[in-house]
Amino acid sequence: MTSTAHTPLPGFTVIRVPVSDPRVKPLLRELGDEYSARYGRDAHTELARYPDEEFTPAHGGVFLLLLEEGEPVAGGAFRRYDGTTAELKRMWTHSAHRRRGLARRVVAALEREAGDREYRRIYLTTGPRQPEARGLYLAAGYTPLFDTQADPETIGPLPFEKHLAVSRARLSADEQSVTGVRNSPTADGKSLTAERRTGKASEL
């Protein structure tokens, strides 16, 4: 089922789709080809590592396409990382439509979707050979959880986070008693400091 999520500008529409939507297949194929070229290994298997249902609302995720005059030009998704965190995945802009700010629009739409589902934090990783993605997330207000002065190749997947605005009324008494949400533990009990040290997460 396809549903309209947002209409950001005339001529553009953001829609929610399942991974099985036929418009998604070219997106993932081009994404896999590009990752394979940059990293010298087949990335298509890695892109298929997560079950499709993880990117559905029923499982805490979503897959969005940005359409221009009805044609997909960019897209992205998130999955449930833990009870309060969404993990951005599958960010992509069609090779013929880059440098138009489309990825930034997709990120903004995903942030709205995550906030609507009461996530309070977004986490993601990008590869060390994707300077465009690194620049995108920095420009969109994401905090790097790694040493930005280090050679990215010595780090591996580069982790980022962003905390979403949350109404104080939606915070529990326990959450209000600690110093902000930033230091809350992850699903496996590790602090964000551990994430900064290890940069653990899938590359794609």
Side-chain angles (χ1 to χ4, degrees), residues 61-104:
V62 74
F63 203 115
L64 301 182
L65 288 180
L66 177 64
L67 307 182
E68 182 177 25
E69 304 297 341
E71 293 297 320
V73 292
F78 64 72
R79 59 186 288 272
R80 184 183 186 276
Y81 185 73
D82 64 35
T84 61
T85 305
E87 182 182 13
L88 249 58
K89 308 290 288 183
R90 310 295 183 261
M91 287 297 303
W92 163 90
T93 301
H94 191 287
S95 57
H97 295 277
R98 292 178 182 170
R99 304 186 67 82
R100 299 177 60 197
L102 302 183
R104 185 74 175 268

